[in-house]
Amino acid sequence: PPPPPPPPPPSCDDVSFPVYFEWDRSDLTDQAQAVIAQAANQRGNCGVTRVTVAGHADRSGAASYNVGLSERRARVVRDELVRLGVPASTISMEAYGETRPAVQTAD
């Protein structure tokens, strides 16, 4: 019999890979590491040349604290991408603090 057909190429549309953190934390869970690994693989398979990492926080706590938390979250994701082979020079970071929460919460 003929060999099986090759797998379909990955979808290379502009996609996002949300990484969630525990409340008031910036360390990576196993699930977060898996999502980042998937993003790094997709980047390599699709020839992506620029990656944007956006850090967010909820509205609990002071706005200035939440900016710092979102920066720490973005930095830890960037560092993991670099560890997985994504060149640091291709990664830009944004820290939104509580101004753009991924999940709406009360103050």
Side-chain angles (χ1 to χ4, degrees):
S11 173
C12 292
D13 296 330
D14 188 15
V15 296
S16 64
F17 293 87
V19 174
Y20 291 99
F21 293 86
E22 297 295 324
W23 182 79
D24 198 29
R25 302 291 298 264
S26 60
D27 52 319
L28 295 175
T29 63
D30 291 343
Q31 182 179 1
Q33 288 176 316
V35 170
I36 297 167
Q38 182 183 12
N41 288 335
Q42 176 106 354
R43 179 212 160 267
N45 292 338
C46 293
V48 172
T49 58
R50 297 290 312 155
V51 175
T52 300
V53 175
H56 301 270
D58 66 17
R59 291 189 165 106
S60 60
S64 60
Y65 177 82
N66 288 331
V67 168
L69 178 60
S70 66
E71 287 172 350
R72 291 188 298 278
R73 288 174 171 177
R75 190 174 314 112
V76 75
V77 170
R78 180 206 57 205
D79 292 349
E80 182 68 2
L81 286 167
V82 170
R83 189 186 74 75
L84 293 171
V86 177
S89 62
T90 66
I91 303 171
S92 62
M93 286 189 349
E94 299 172 4
Y96 293 113
E98 61 184 46
T99 62
R100 290 177 158 182
V103 176
Q104 294 296 323
T105 60
D107 275 339

